Amino acid sequence: TAPLPRRIADFQEVLGEPTVALGKLRHLCFSGIPFDGGLRCLCWKILLNYLPLEKALWSSLLKKQRDLYSQFLKEMIIQPGIAKANLGVSREDVTLEDHPLNPNPDSRWNTYFKDNEVLLQIDKDVRRLYPDMAFFQRPTDYPCLLILDPQNEFETLRKRVEQTTLKSQTVARNRSGVTNVSSPLKTTPNSLSEYEVLPNGCEAHWEVVERILFIYAKLNPGIAYVQGMNEIVGPLYYTFATDPNSEWKEHAEADTFFCFTNLMAEIRDNFIKSLDDSQCGITYKMEKVYSTLKEKDVELYLKLQEQNIKPQFFAFRWLTLLLSQEFLLPDVIRIWDSLFADDKRFDFLLLVCCAMLTLIRDQLLEGDFTLNMRLLQDYPISDVHLILKKAKELQDSK
């Protein structure tokens, strides 16, 4: 790759055109996007179809989407019965119309309690996002004023969780298993009390992620929230919230929400159980990892077959979570540069998984079942450049 100043100049040139040449941009991003000058945030927004290729449309589109997001917050986070007059919503006499014991399924309170079940699951997952990094526990410079405004008595989602003593059984019923096989990399604090509680008026970054996932679940009831989505939204939010350009950084929440929604539209089939055996489902993709491996390295393929190591034992998590659990966050972000730049959308991910297998082939060929399972569930190579280079070689050798 070219030296950094040269690469930055290449990006600036492509992004400087009135209409961004998508092919050129993909080609540049595939080899990794420099962090400098907020290039990555901008490129990801284009690659995830949030920003159009015509630059002239950017500012009006961003304004429209960010206003829409504020609208979602007003409609979905603000509680039944305490909508304030100054939001343009008059406070009706809620006791006649709707009250917490109203059995009517359309009751706002009924929805509120249902939402709390989803919220508890999200809360459990986002509080332990990247525990080895302080970032998600730190306060954001741009808390959501709409919700934290002392004029409005809205409870934040965090308070709502603290006040909700719903039985944890409701959580256990939901589909779990995506990240249950937690990797040894990620140690989790034992209890919520180990987290510093931020003073009122402050919000930690994980709370912002919680809100994004909650709004997503409300708007997409067909899939709602599935464990593991927190691992997809985390790297996106982190990238946008650390943008060196403060005017982009300020809108990290809304921008992340829309990019996450677009990304989920492409990968949500991995999270939907009923699609598992269809062409777009996760089972099909896992099989594809093995059939590609068989083409590229039949000896290794046969060894894994013989030991009855099925792709669902490890490739399920690799594919569903776009490798976000296998590597440290900066490395995940680098892998995602290549994945988002892939015009065949995530075909390259299958090759990355294959590369990961072939790079540890000697250990796998020598190891027994237990040893190999340990290798695959706690992947030993941390140099992602080596992995991406190998995956590219596999792609070129087709």
Side-chain angles (χ1 to χ4, degrees):
T1 41
L4 190 62
R6 175 71 241 148
R7 301 205 52 221
I8 294 172
D10 290 343
F11 273 92
Q12 283 165 342
E13 190 183 327
V14 173
L15 294 167
E17 297 290 329
T19 301
V20 176
L22 187 58
K24 281 187 186 163
L25 185 69
R26 283 189 192 284
H27 181 72
L28 283 173
C29 295
F30 187 79
S31 315
I33 308 168
F35 172 74
D36 311 69
L39 285 173
R40 176 174 279 124
C41 306
L42 182 52
C43 291
W44 279 16
K45 284 171 183 145
I46 297 170
L47 296 173
L48 292 171
N49 305 316
Y50 178 45
L51 285 179
L53 299 175
E54 291 74 40
K55 265 176 87 169
L57 304 173
W58 289 359
S59 59
S60 61
L61 177 119
L62 288 169
K63 183 179 184 330
K64 191 180 108 225
Q65 296 300 85
R66 289 161 179 174
D67 290 348
L68 177 62
Y69 187 73
S70 298
Q71 208 41 54
F72 291 156
L73 293 178
K74 287 177 191 171
E75 287 168 20
M76 288 174 225
I77 299 229
I78 287 167
Q79 245 190 308
I82 54 169
K84 284 296 199 126
N86 60 359
L87 257 182
V89 190
S90 65
R91 174 164 188 171
E92 346 87 292
D93 187 351
V94 289
T95 43
L96 290 172
E97 289 296 315
D98 201 356
H99 52 84
L101 301 176
N102 184 343
N104 175 356
D106 299 335
S107 145
R108 280 159 58 184
W109 280 102
N110 197 339
T111 312
Y112 180 75
F113 293 127
K114 267 218 179 54
D115 287 350
N116 281 351
E117 296 182 19
V118 176
L119 181 57
L120 282 182
Q121 174 71 58
I122 294 175
D123 190 76
K124 214 172 78 190
D125 292 345
V126 293
R127 284 176 188 258
R128 48 175 193 225
L129 255 183
Y130 289 96
D132 47 344
M133 284 178 65
F135 172 80
F136 286 97
Q137 304 303 325
R138 286 203 192 113
T140 164
D141 296 339
Y142 303 102
C144 181
L145 299 176
L146 187 71
I147 291 170
L148 296 181
D149 178 358
Q151 290 296 300
N152 303 320
E153 300 159 10
F154 306 135
E155 54 176 1
T156 60
L157 292 180
R158 180 180 75 191
K159 286 214 178 77
R160 194 164 147 177
V161 169
E162 284 157 8
Q163 287 159 8
T164 301
T165 49
L166 271 178
K167 306 274 174 292
S168 54
Q169 284 84 319
T170 53
V171 169
R173 274 209 317 269
N174 292 350
R175 175 182 181 201
S176 58
V178 174
T179 48
N180 279 359
V181 203
S182 66
S183 57
L185 262 183
K186 323 245 172 218
T187 46
T188 52
N190 303 332
S191 68
L192 303 181
S193 59
E194 291 189 27
Y195 292 112
E196 227 180 307
V197 174
L198 296 172
N200 279 346
C202 285
E203 260 190 327
H205 287 294
W206 67 261
E207 292 182 74
V208 181
V209 174
E210 174 164 76
R211 199 160 45 232
I212 292 169
L213 287 166
F214 181 71
I215 298 275
Y216 179 82
K218 291 278 287 171
L219 287 171
N220 296 277
I223 183 171
Y225 172 76
V226 179
Q227 198 184 12
M229 287 181 184
N230 54 316
E231 304 288 349
I232 300 284
V233 87
L236 284 175
Y237 175 73
Y238 174 81
T239 300
F240 295 168
T242 53
D243 191 320
N245 175 345
S246 62
E247 126 198 28
W248 286 89
K249 194 177 181 171
E250 184 181 343
H251 297 287
E253 180 176 350
D255 292 348
T256 301
F257 171 79
F258 289 107
C259 287
F260 172 68
T261 301
N262 290 358
L263 179 55
M264 281 305 298
E266 298 189 38
I267 63 169
R268 59 180 281 171
D269 297 349
N270 296 349
F271 286 92
I272 300 177
K273 198 89 179 113
S274 61
L275 286 169
D276 279 2
D277 297 320
S278 69
Q279 280 261 312
C280 49
I282 185 71
T283 307
Y284 173 74
K285 290 187 181 129
M286 291 190 296
E287 295 302 335
K288 195 105 178 14
V289 170
Y290 265 22
S291 59
T292 313
L293 179 66
K294 188 177 176 181
E295 253 170 67
K296 307 286 182 192
D297 188 340
V298 72
E299 187 188 357
L300 179 56
Y301 166 78
L302 291 171
K303 172 77 178 188
L304 295 175
Q305 286 289 39
E306 174 200 321
Q307 291 188 344
N308 204 12
I309 293 181
K310 297 184 169 28
Q312 43 273 44
F313 298 160
F314 60 94
F316 181 72
R317 190 177 72 197
W318 291 7
L319 294 166
T320 308
L321 303 182
L322 306 180
L323 296 169
S324 61
Q325 286 253 285
E326 312 316 309
F327 301 99
L328 296 172
L329 187 58
D331 294 329
V332 172
I333 289 170
R334 169 60 195 92
I335 292 171
W336 284 16
D337 287 345
S338 296
L339 295 184
F340 295 166
D342 172 19
D343 58 347
K344 295 208 180 46
R345 276 323 201 209
F346 310 115
D347 272 13
F348 189 65
L349 177 59
L350 300 173
L351 293 170
V352 175
C353 294
C354 255
M356 287 168 67
L357 295 171
T358 55
L359 284 169
I360 55 169
R361 74 184 301 270
D362 297 348
Q363 287 146 283
L364 291 170
L365 289 172
E366 277 171 30
D368 60 8
F369 176 86
T370 317
L371 211 65
N372 286 346
M373 281 299 296
R374 196 174 303 146
L375 276 175
L376 295 168
Q377 294 200 335
D378 184 17
Y379 189 74
I381 296 180
S382 56
D383 182 354
V384 296
H385 298 281
L386 186 66
I387 294 165
L388 291 167
K389 188 169 159 254
K390 184 72 187 163
K392 182 83 180 88
E393 282 167 20
L394 294 175
Q395 187 182 48
D396 295 341
S397 70
K398 277 204 156 161

